[in-house]
């Protein structure tokens, strides 16, 4: 049976490294901001590079800025077991999102190398350069480059809020010159990502680990309702073509439909724009966002079609018109069944409570999941809070996640 680290020593190491990584981009009030290629991001990557070297890994960057620490394998023909997560954060984010997956991978690699020496198959720890989309209008830049789904040409002219172009920021950070290997990888056997849940399911159900079966698909729309502006005092209610009232009816209808969905679909309206947006004028135009998510593409399709038919009916009742613009359509991604089963077997053997669940948030695992066998594993988030300085996971839960990762890496690579 694999030898695990002593609990107290492991807990102290993980917590210390969480704080260490949070110091790069740390802010007053406890928040963390590390944006792609900015000074805090560069500082964090350099610190992780040094830590990789300290524990005996061979560190290298690719030309997109992903950082890898390699534990060479005894079999020169074997493919790589890759584990890690993203180093970037949202603005004013928490200490654990992304960072925990990197810290856990470093701790696991150090333990395995110290106790068992070189693995049969190479293990690499990755600090993915970007996932959040917090600085530029792109997401999954790190995993997308590795899997070949992202290209510099598509984002070269993109700019951040200060007007700095993507290409400028990339080159200022030392990447994009061809000095480092190209990011595309064809030598990966699998990818394992350990992550905080960013929800409250595990905490509410008193489970220690989430074994993710699917990452949900997403559709996002802008829905526009057009009516007629008129005087708020002189236009009788029965003669109005009120875009605001129509939109409110639509939002109510789709929310009730989602709440009644037996499959657990979620639908969210989080943004609204009103014209002319004047308190004493009937609204002539309202645009609202619609975000629909589920692990079944067919369930999403059916919900959207039924909702849009109902929108047409509501619009006609109020003498208004409705149109929609779909700007995101991401299919659900299944995690690898064999890796899921292996994780569950480890957890059952160690008597650790777990839940097989879907992920309602996007992760780098959804990019890797269509490219190579992938496992996404969750530890609980207190109160379900994430992307906030209040983000927190109990030390005991962090420790359980690292122990699971150690066991999985041992089974896959030794």
């Amino acid at each position: 049976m694999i030898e695990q680290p002593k609990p107290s020593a492991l807990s102290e190491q993980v917590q210390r490294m969480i704080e260490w990584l949070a110091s790069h981009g740390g802010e007053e009030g406890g928040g963390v901001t590390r944006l792609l290629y900015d000074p805090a991001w560069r500082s964090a990557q350099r610190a992780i590079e040094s830590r990789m070297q300290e524990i005996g890994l061979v560190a290298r960057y690719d030309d997109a800025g992903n950082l890898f620490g390699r534990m060479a394998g005894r079999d020169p023909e074997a493919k790589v077991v890759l584990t890690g997560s993203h180093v970037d954060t949202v603005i004013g984010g928490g200490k654990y999102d992304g960072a925990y997956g990197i810290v856990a991978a470093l701790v696991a690699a150090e333990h395995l190398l110290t106790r068992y020496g070189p693995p049969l198959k190479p293990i690499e720890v990755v600090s993915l350069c970007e996932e959040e989309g917090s600085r530029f209008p792109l997401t999954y830049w790190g995993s997308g480059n590795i899997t070949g789904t992202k290209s510099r040409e598509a984002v070269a002219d993109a700019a951040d809020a200060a007007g700095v172009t993507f290409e400028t920021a990339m080159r200022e950070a030392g990447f994009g010159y061809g000095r480092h290997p190209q990011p595309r990888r064809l030598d990966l056997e699998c990818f394992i990502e350990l992550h905080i849940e960013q929800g409250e399911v595990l905490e509410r159900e008193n489970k220690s680990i989430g074994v993710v079966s699917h990452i949900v698909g997403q559709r996002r729309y802008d829905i526009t309702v057009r009516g007629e502006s008129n005087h708020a005092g002189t236009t009788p209610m029965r003669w109005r073509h009120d875009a605001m009232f129509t939109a409110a009816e639509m939002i109510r209808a789709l929310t009730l439909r989602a709440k009644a969905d037996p499959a657990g679909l979620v639908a969210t309206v989080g943004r609204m724009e009103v014209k002319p947006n004047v308190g004493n004028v009937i609204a002539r135009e309202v645009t609202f966002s619609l975000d629909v998510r589920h692990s079944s593409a067919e369930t999403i399709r059916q919900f959207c079609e039924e909702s849009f038919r109902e929108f047409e009916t509501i619009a006609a009742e109020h003498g208004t018109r409705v149109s929609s613009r779909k700007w995101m359509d991401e299919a659900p991604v299944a995690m690898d069944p064999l890796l899921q089963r292996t994780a569950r077997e480890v957890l059952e053997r160690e008597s650790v409570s777990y839940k097989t669940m879907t992920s309602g948030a996007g992760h780098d695992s959804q990019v890797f999941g269509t490219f190579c066998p992938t496992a996404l594993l969750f530890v609980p988030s207190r109160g379900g809070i994430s992307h906030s300085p209040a983000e927190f996971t109990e030390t005991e839960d962090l420790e359980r996640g690292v122990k699971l990762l150690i066991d999985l890496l041992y089974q896959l690579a030794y």
Side-chain angles (χ1 to χ4, degrees):
M1 183 176 294
I2 185 171
E3 179 187 348
Q4 288 283 1
K6 293 181 179 179
S8 59
L10 179 59
S11 298
E12 290 171 5
Q13 184 182 16
V14 173
Q15 197 60 58
R16 184 173 64 252
M17 290 184 68
I18 290 287
E19 298 299 329
W20 158 75
L21 194 47
S23 70
H24 299 274
E27 302 170 336
E28 289 186 15
V32 181
T33 299
R34 287 191 298 268
L35 308 182
L36 178 62
Y37 303 138
D38 78 0
W41 179 95
R42 292 181 231 171
S43 175
Q45 288 289 67
R46 287 194 298 268
I48 295 167
E49 180 185 16
S50 295
R51 182 60 185 155
M52 287 174 171
Q53 293 167 343
E54 287 171 8
I55 65 177
L57 306 181
V58 178
R60 71 166 182 87
Y61 293 93
D62 66 22
D63 207 38
N66 293 308
L67 172 62
F68 301 88
R70 183 179 177 90
M71 189 189 308
R74 303 189 305 275
D75 180 356
E77 303 298 322
K79 289 191 171 183
V80 173
V81 176
L82 184 67
T83 182
S85 194
H86 60 96
V87 72
D88 68 314
T89 72
V90 297
I91 296 171
K95 300 175 181 178
Y96 301 86
D97 180 6
Y100 171 58
I102 298 169
V103 166
L106 289 169
V107 172
E110 181 178 17
H111 175 77
L112 290 168
L113 194 56
T114 301
R115 299 298 191 282
Y116 304 104
L120 178 64
K121 300 175 183 178
I123 296 173
E124 291 190 20
V125 174
V126 62
S127 176
L128 294 163
C129 63
E130 196 278 338
E131 184 250 26
E132 298 284 5
S134 299
R135 184 177 182 185
F136 298 100
L138 57 88
T139 54
Y140 310 117
W141 180 245
S143 53
N145 270 269
I146 293 170
T147 59
T149 60
K150 301 287 185 180
S151 69
R152 281 172 63 186
E153 292 73 19
V155 298
D157 295 329
D160 65 12
V164 179
T165 66
F166 179 88
E167 192 73 18
T168 298
M170 187 182 198
R171 290 181 175 272
E172 285 179 351
F175 301 100
Y177 293 99
R179 299 169 184 164
H180 304 285
Q182 290 305 303
R184 186 77 157 92
R185 298 287 295 267
L186 298 173
D187 61 342
L188 301 184
E189 177 172 294
C190 63
F191 176 66
I192 302 173
E193 184 173 19
L194 189 57
H195 207 281
I196 59 170
E197 183 194 348
Q198 300 179 279
E200 53 187 329
V201 173
L202 293 175
E203 184 181 54
R204 283 181 175 269
E205 297 191 14
N206 197 30
K207 303 294 185 183
S208 295
I209 298 289
V211 179
V212 176
S213 61
H214 295 79
I215 299 175
V216 297
Q218 300 183 43
R219 281 197 190 183
R220 296 187 190 180
Y221 295 87
D222 287 330
I223 311 297
T224 299
V225 181
R226 293 180 175 85
E228 180 180 86
S229 287
N230 216 327
H231 197 289
T234 63
T235 309
M237 298 299 291
R238 65 184 181 277
W239 294 341
R240 297 182 179 207
H241 306 287
D242 188 341
M244 179 72 85
F245 181 44
T246 305
E249 289 276 291
M250 292 175 178
I251 295 167
R252 182 178 188 276
L254 74 89
T255 301
L256 291 176
R257 182 183 296 278
K259 285 185 174 183
D261 187 275
L265 175 143
V266 294
T268 303
V269 174
R271 177 179 53 80
M272 180 178 285
E273 298 174 2
V274 182
K275 296 178 182 179
N277 202 28
V278 177
N280 62 350
V281 178
I282 299 164
R284 73 169 182 272
E285 183 176 299
V286 173
T287 299
F288 61 90
S289 63
L290 175 59
D291 180 313
V292 182
R293 307 188 189 200
H294 194 264
S295 59
S296 163
E298 176 58 23
T299 298
I300 294 174
R301 184 198 64 76
Q302 185 175 347
F303 177 88
C304 292
E305 288 185 359
E306 291 174 354
S307 294
F308 292 157
R309 283 198 295 268
E310 191 167 9
F311 289 174
E312 293 286 353
T313 300
I314 293 169
E317 288 175 354
H318 299 294
T320 58
R321 293 167 288 120
V322 61
S323 61
S324 64
R325 180 178 72 90
K326 180 170 66 176
W327 58 273
M328 178 186 283
D329 191 354
E330 293 186 350
V333 177
M335 299 294 95
D336 183 68
L338 180 57
L339 290 175
Q340 291 179 56
R341 187 178 71 192
T342 304
R344 287 193 292 265
E345 288 172 351
V346 171
L347 294 166
E348 288 167 3
R349 186 182 70 232
E350 299 296 327
S351 299
V352 176
S353 62
Y354 70 89
K355 177 182 178 66
T356 300
M357 61 190 297
T358 59
S359 172
H363 295 282
D364 287 300
S365 288
Q366 74 189 61
V367 180
F368 282 109
T370 60
F371 182 73
C372 65
T374 298
L376 176 59
L377 305 162
F378 285 157
V379 294
S381 297
R382 187 171 68 184
I385 296 171
S386 186
H387 286 182
S388 160
E391 184 178 270
F392 181 76
T393 296
E394 298 287 349
T395 303
E396 294 79 4
D397 292 318
L398 298 174
E399 179 188 313
R400 291 188 187 99
V402 174
K403 286 183 174 180
L404 172 59
L405 182 60
I406 290 171
D407 213 320
L408 283 174
L409 292 175
Y410 182 84
Q411 292 195 43
L412 291 168
Y414 278 83

